[in-house]
Each structure stands twice: as C-alpha cells, then as structure tokens.
C-alpha cells in the first residue's frame, strides 16, 4: 500500500474507532479542493479548523466527468494537494444555484478568503473559467453551481 493510500486508511481507521457506527462502511472517496497546491492545502487547513464547511462545484464539471451529484449524508475524505488524508466530512445540504444567485451566507460558510460574496465570486469565476478553458463551453453567470454544505466529522 502506498504512502497516500496508507494515510487514507489510517485516518479512516482512526475515525471508525471513534465512530463505530461507520465501521461497516467502505472507505469513502477522497479528494482535495481547488486546482493548485497552495489553495488545496489552504482549504484542507480550513476544513480542519471547521471554517470551510461548504464547497461549490459547477454542474458542468459533474456532467463533463460523468460523475454523480453528491447526496446528503455522503462521506468523503479531504486530502491535501499531495493526497495525504486530513479530515472526514459528511454532506448535510445540496442546492443547485445559478452562479449569480449564490448568497453571501453560502460564501461565508465556504470560508475562503475574507468570507465575502465579492471574494467568492472573484475566485470562483476565475476557477470555473480555468476549468472550462479546454472545452467549447465557457463561464456563464447563469451556470448552475452545486452548493454543497458539509460538517467535519473527524478529527
């Protein structure tokens, strides 16, 4: 087992020792936030501090990658950029919202930057633009965003 897989298994084992009600579940999917090392590591740290308790993925990404939308009660393991496991999270709410209707309350729950809606819009517009740059699609103020809220269960 590689170092990264070992890190994920160790975190999951520690989590299920504290939360035996999850012992019968398979190790959940793992991922890092963002598309660069600095932001991914910052977001992982914010999840650990329970400041970041939401994420906003474009519906375009789910459709393009043929991935299922998240569901309430989904478990995931958040990693840093290098794939080292840092936290177990549980999805608590999912809303499909046009980009231009994302609220300041959601931006604050997402917990990045200064927590403002202006900051949220600036960095997410840039992120979605980068995400779509090699496709025939482009960022649109009306595009649907999967606004997913979660709680950090462990540590």
């Amino acid at each position: 087992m590689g170092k990264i897989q070992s890190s994920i298994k160790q975190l999951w084992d520690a989590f299920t020792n504290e939360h035996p009600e999850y012992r019968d579940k398979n190790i959940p999917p793992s991922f890092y936030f963002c598309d660069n090392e600095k932001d991914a590591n910052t977001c992982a740290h914010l999840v650990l501090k329970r400041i970041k308790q939401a994420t906003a993925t474009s519906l375009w990404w789910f459709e393009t990658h043929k991935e299922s939308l998240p569901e309430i009660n989904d478990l995931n393991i958040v990693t840093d950029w290098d794939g080292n496991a840092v936290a177990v999270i549980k999805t608590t709410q999912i809303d499909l919202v046009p980009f231009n209707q994302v609220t300041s309350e959601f931006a604050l729950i997402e917990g990045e930057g200064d927590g403002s809606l202006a900051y949220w819009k600036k960095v997410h517009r840039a992120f979605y633009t980068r995400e779509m740059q090699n496709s025939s699609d482009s960022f649109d103020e009306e595009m649907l965003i999967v606004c997913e809220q979660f709680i950090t269960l462990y540590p």
Side-chain angles (χ1 to χ4, degrees):
M1 182 181 298
K3 174 184 171 252
I4 290 169
Q5 289 292 22
S6 173
S7 146
I8 290 168
K9 182 171 181 350
Q10 286 175 351
L11 182 82
W12 183 250
D13 288 347
F15 168 70
T16 57
N17 283 338
E18 283 193 20
H19 300 274
E21 66 271 24
Y22 292 100
R23 281 195 184 132
D24 64 338
K25 302 231 183 257
N26 292 330
I27 297 176
S30 61
F31 66 90
Y32 54 81
F33 294 104
C34 304
D35 62 353
N36 64 79
E37 183 174 4
K38 179 181 179 281
D39 291 342
N41 292 343
T42 296
C43 285
H45 179 73
L46 292 171
V47 168
L48 275 174
K49 293 180 78 172
R50 290 170 169 72
I51 294 169
K52 179 175 179 59
Q53 297 290 270
T55 191
T57 308
S58 67
L59 181 60
W60 176 89
W61 184 90
F62 285 101
E63 292 172 344
T64 300
H65 293 88
K66 298 180 178 20
E67 291 284 337
S68 300
L69 291 177
E71 295 181 12
I72 291 175
N73 295 323
D74 279 356
L75 298 177
N76 287 283
I77 295 175
V78 175
T79 71
D80 65 13
W81 179 257
D82 294 323
N84 299 303
V86 298
V88 177
I89 62 172
K90 180 179 179 180
T91 302
T92 58
Q93 183 173 331
I94 300 153
D95 298 296
L96 267 64
V97 180
F99 178 89
N100 61 7
Q101 292 179 32
V102 169
T103 65
S104 57
E105 292 80 13
F106 182 81
L108 185 61
I109 294 166
E110 192 162 359
E112 297 174 27
D114 65 6
S116 71
L117 182 58
Y119 178 88
W120 187 94
K121 284 187 171 187
K122 176 183 165 197
V123 298
H124 284 80
R125 178 181 288 112
F127 176 80
Y128 301 137
T129 299
R130 288 191 309 273
E131 177 177 72
M132 301 170 103
Q133 71 186 356
N134 293 324
S135 77
S136 59
D137 298 313
S138 60
F139 172 81
D140 182 320
E141 290 277 330
E142 300 284 332
M143 66 188 275
L144 289 177
I145 306 303
V146 180
C147 294
E148 179 181 0
Q149 294 183 44
F150 57 82
I151 56 173
T152 301
L153 293 178
Y154 184 86

